[in-house]
């Protein structure tokens, strides 16, 4: 049964002109050491008066320490931006997260820690050998949950910040849920209506202890931030798991077929991330953990592929449908190369795939839903873990080939319709976040908020799109006074954390 309209992959056109210049793209990776707080007054269009709440973003704010360049943006110290919307106005604030490592390195004026993604201390491999200290850089995601604003980085505890001032309050152990040194992933999912909690919303997150066999721990927190479920499971093999999808009954992971050889890391030749290798001809594994914590973990196999992010999943009879952004292979940033020089054409592009997991006969089928290079999916929060119609995702301007994200794509999974809003040639798009319009009835009644780097003015804009129709001009474009380096993830809370007006 065909349950989804798919687009067929198109052959790449090697003669098509590039919709961007590399120099423009690279400028968005300059550090932003300044911290600001101001009302945004340079606005095209109008901020919808109904848009009320705070849009938080996280991402590397510093791409160098005192001029020493980091090897990979994922190693950059986290910087939080907040955009507080109320009564048609918006207030901006940004602050770097004062992690322990950040404070030490700023004081020393040099790189003191090895980064997971290749940044090394000065002094060559001797200075790095057997140094396994990792800096919690709190740079991947930011959520407001249980009355706390938490900056997340998947290999360590969250950092808590004051949601009004973005002042760093210190590491947070979630009221005793975490122990010192415990990890808490950067990709929590919010179940809008948990069947185990009488329909109350809950936050579902995980941590991974990778090894020859890996341990996945699931945490579920109530809206008040109280632990309602926690259970741990051992799975075979080294697990590099960045994200997870949920349904009412399951947490779903895709275990990439990778191996980890720790020797070059221990010897200081390579970073931990550079020791991860895709194992050829090995299947990817889909891991289903029952959210109740009881019952067996199921592992199904599918073709080799690499996944960072899942879009959504839902249950349908004996089947689970999982939509994920897949890559043909894992691209490690080699030592002695600079990420700013990456050759987009030489590395695989993310594409949206749909997996169908048949729980009865333990088989998996898959097909490509969107072959255009895309990453950073978002959807209506009420449809997380449920059947859904609309997906929004950052995308390349052109339908073929790998390129930086410059556009937002809306997919109608029922009709196969596509809409694309593009900031090309000089705009570069970040992750879109869907915000429902209060009182909205249809699934796409809301706004998409995203940060866009405008190379023409070397500044960033917040773009507000009407999610019902991406062919229309943006509802509003808010020009910041400066740029914000390309970020990772963020979220929206209906609570307003700007200055009192
Ligand atoms: Co992510």
């Amino acid at each position: 049964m065909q349950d989804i309209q798919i687009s067929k992959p198109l052959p790449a056109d090697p003669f098509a002109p590039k919709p961007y210049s590399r120099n423009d793209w690279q400028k968005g990776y300059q550090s932003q050491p300044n911290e600001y707080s101001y009302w945004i007054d340079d606005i095209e269009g109008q901020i919808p008066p109904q848009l009320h709440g705070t849009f938080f973003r996280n991402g590397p704010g510093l791409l160098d320490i005192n001029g020493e360049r980091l090897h990979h943006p994922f190693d950059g110290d986290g910087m939080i931006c907040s955009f507080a919307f109320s009564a048609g106005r918006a207030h901006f604030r940004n602050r770097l997260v004062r992690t322990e490592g950040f404070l030490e390195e700023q004081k020393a004026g040099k790189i003191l820690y090895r980064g997971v993604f290749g940044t090394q201390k000065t002094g060559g491999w001797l200075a790095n050998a057997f140094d396994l200290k990792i800096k919690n850089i709190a740079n991947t995601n930011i959520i407001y949950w249980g009355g706390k604003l938490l900056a997340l980085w998947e290999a360590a505890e969250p950092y808590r910040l004051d949601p009004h001032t973005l002042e760093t309050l210190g590491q947070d152990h979630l009221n005793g849920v975490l122990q010192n040194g415990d990890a808490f992933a950067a990709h929590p999912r919010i179940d809008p209506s948990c069947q185990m909690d009488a329909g109350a919303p809950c936050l579902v997150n995980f941590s991974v202890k990778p090894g020859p066999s890996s341990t996945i721990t699931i945490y579920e927190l109530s809206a008040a931030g109280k632990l309602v479920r926690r259970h741990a499971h051992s799975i075979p093999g080294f697990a590099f798991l960045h994200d997870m999808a949920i349904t009412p009954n399951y947490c779903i992971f895709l275990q990439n077929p990778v191996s980890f050889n720790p020797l070059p890391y221990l010897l200081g030749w390579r970073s931990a991330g550079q020791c991860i290798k895709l194992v050829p001809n090995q299947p990817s594994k889909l891991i289903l953990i029952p959210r109740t914590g009881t019952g067996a973990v199921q592992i199904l196999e599918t073709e080799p592929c690499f996944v960072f992010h899942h879009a959504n999943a839902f249950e349908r009879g004996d089947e689970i449908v999982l939509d994920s952004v897949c890559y043909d292979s894992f691209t490690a940033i080699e030592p002695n190369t600079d990420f700013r020089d990456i050759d987009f054409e030489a590395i695989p592009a993310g594409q949206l795939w749909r997996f169908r997991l048949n729980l009865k006969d333990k088989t998996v089928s898959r097909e490509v839903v969107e072959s255009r290079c895309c990453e950073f999916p978002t959807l209506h929060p009420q449809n997380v873990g449920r059947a859904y119609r609309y997906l929004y995702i950052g995308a390349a301007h052109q339908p073929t080939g790998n390129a930086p994200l410059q556009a937002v794509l809306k997919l109608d999974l029922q009709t196969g319709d596509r809409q694309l809003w593009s900031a090309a040639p000089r705009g570069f798009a970040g992750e879109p976040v869907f915000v429902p319009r209060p009182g909205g009835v249809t699934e796409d009644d809301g706004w998409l908020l995203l940060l866009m780097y405008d190379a023409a003015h070397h500044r960033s804009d917040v773009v507000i799109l009407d999610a019902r129709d991406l062919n229309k001009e943006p509802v509003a474009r808010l020009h910041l006074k400066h740029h914000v380096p390309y970020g990772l993830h963020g979220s929206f809370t209906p609570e307003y954390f700007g200055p009192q007006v």
Side-chain angles (χ1 to χ4, degrees), residues 29-90:
Y29 273 123
Q30 289 175 16
S31 290
Q32 179 52 274
N34 302 315
E35 298 183 318
Y36 300 91
S37 170
Y38 58 88
W39 290 96
I40 303 171
D41 53 19
D42 188 358
I43 298 170
E44 285 174 61
Q46 272 196 331
I47 300 171
Q50 286 175 294
L51 178 58
H52 183 91
T54 311
F55 178 40
F56 290 109
R57 305 275 329 146
N58 197 352
L62 297 183
L63 288 309
D64 69 277
I65 307 289
N66 208 13
E68 262 184 81
R69 276 182 163 197
L70 303 185
H71 192 75
H72 196 288
F74 293 173
D75 286 339
D77 289 299
M79 185 178 79
I80 309 301
C81 293
S82 85
F83 304 88
F85 293 95
S86 180
R89 298 186 72 197

Side-chain angles (χ1 to χ4, degrees), residues 22-343:
R22 172 179 292 273
N23 186 46
D24 274 358
W25 173 73
Q26 286 174 338
K27 286 195 300 184
Y29 273 123
Q30 289 175 16
S31 290
Q32 179 52 274
N34 302 315
E35 298 183 318
Y36 300 91
S37 170
Y38 58 88
W39 290 96
I40 303 171
D41 53 19
D42 188 358
I43 298 170
E44 285 174 61
Q46 272 196 331
I47 300 171
Q50 286 175 294
L51 178 58
H52 183 91
T54 311
F55 178 40
F56 290 109
R57 305 275 329 146
N58 197 352
L62 297 183
L63 288 309
D64 69 277
I65 307 289
N66 208 13
E68 262 184 81
R69 276 182 163 197
L70 303 185
H71 192 75
H72 196 288
F74 293 173
D75 286 339
D77 289 299
M79 185 178 79
I80 309 301
C81 293
S82 85
F83 304 88
F85 293 95
S86 180
R89 298 186 72 197
H91 183 271
F92 173 78
R93 191 188 290 278
N94 73 308
R95 291 198 79 174
L96 287 149
V97 187
R98 264 65 174 176
T99 62
E100 268 175 59
F102 169 83
L103 294 171
E104 283 174 60
E105 288 187 330
Q106 291 302 311
K107 204 169 151 203
K110 61 177 186 178
I111 296 172
L112 299 176
Y113 288 89
R114 301 174 65 190
V116 173
F117 289 93
T119 300
Q120 299 277 40
K121 299 192 292 184
T122 37
W125 71 268
L126 253 177
N128 290 284
F130 302 107
D131 184 352
L132 308 182
K133 272 190 312 198
I134 290 282
K135 178 170 71 154
N136 178 353
I137 45 179
N139 74 353
T140 312
N141 203 348
I142 175 104
I143 52 160
Y144 184 73
W145 188 261
K148 291 179 179 181
L149 183 65
L150 302 168
L152 305 178
W153 185 65
E154 67 194 26
E157 305 97 318
Y159 264 88
R160 185 178 176 190
L161 295 97
D162 181 314
H164 294 278
T165 63
L166 302 184
E167 182 195 344
T168 303
L169 303 174
Q171 287 192 341
D172 194 273
H173 291 94
L174 308 174
N175 311 320
V177 171
L178 303 178
Q179 305 291 313
N180 255 339
D182 275 356
F184 195 67
H187 278 287
R189 297 274 170 178
I190 294 167
D191 183 338
S193 153
C194 178
Q195 62 186 17
M196 291 172 282
D197 303 330
C202 74
L203 178 141
V204 189
N205 201 9
F206 66 97
S207 70
V208 187
K209 259 200 196 110
S213 69
S214 303
T215 304
I216 303 174
T217 304
I218 305 290
Y219 303 94
E220 302 208 7
L221 306 176
S222 71
K226 248 188 91 190
L227 184 74
V228 286
R229 280 169 291 282
R230 170 171 51 191
H231 37 96
H233 308 268
S234 176
I235 55 151
F238 176 81
F240 174 78
L241 306 170
H242 175 69
D243 192 9
M244 156 192 82
I246 58 166
T247 67
N249 290 298
Y250 296 99
C251 291
I252 304 155
F253 297 87
L254 190 143
Q255 188 182 7
N256 304 300
V258 292
S259 68
F260 180 71
N261 173 8
L263 200 59
Y265 172 59
L266 293 172
L267 293 175
W269 298 341
R270 284 171 170 259
S271 71
Q274 288 164 341
C275 297
I276 295 175
K277 285 267 175 298
L278 199 74
V279 185
N281 308 317
Q282 285 290 310
S284 292
K285 291 178 184 166
L286 290 148
I287 299 164
L288 294 138
I289 298 179
R291 281 181 54 195
T292 54
T294 55
V297 173
Q298 300 181 61
I299 301 180
L300 277 58
E301 293 188 348
T302 184
E303 286 92 340
C305 63
F306 195 88
V307 169
F308 285 107
H309 297 125
H310 302 290
N312 198 21
F314 57 92
E315 298 170 15
R316 188 169 54 189
D318 290 326
E319 192 175 71
I320 288 179
V321 177
L322 172 69
D323 295 337
S324 311
V325 180
C326 294
Y327 297 79
D328 287 343
S329 65
F330 174 70
T331 310
I333 304 285
E334 292 298 314
N336 311 317
T337 61
D338 190 314
F339 69 89
R340 294 167 188 84
D341 299 326
I342 75 169
D343 178 4

Side-chain angles (χ1 to χ4, degrees), residues 199 369 438:
V369 175

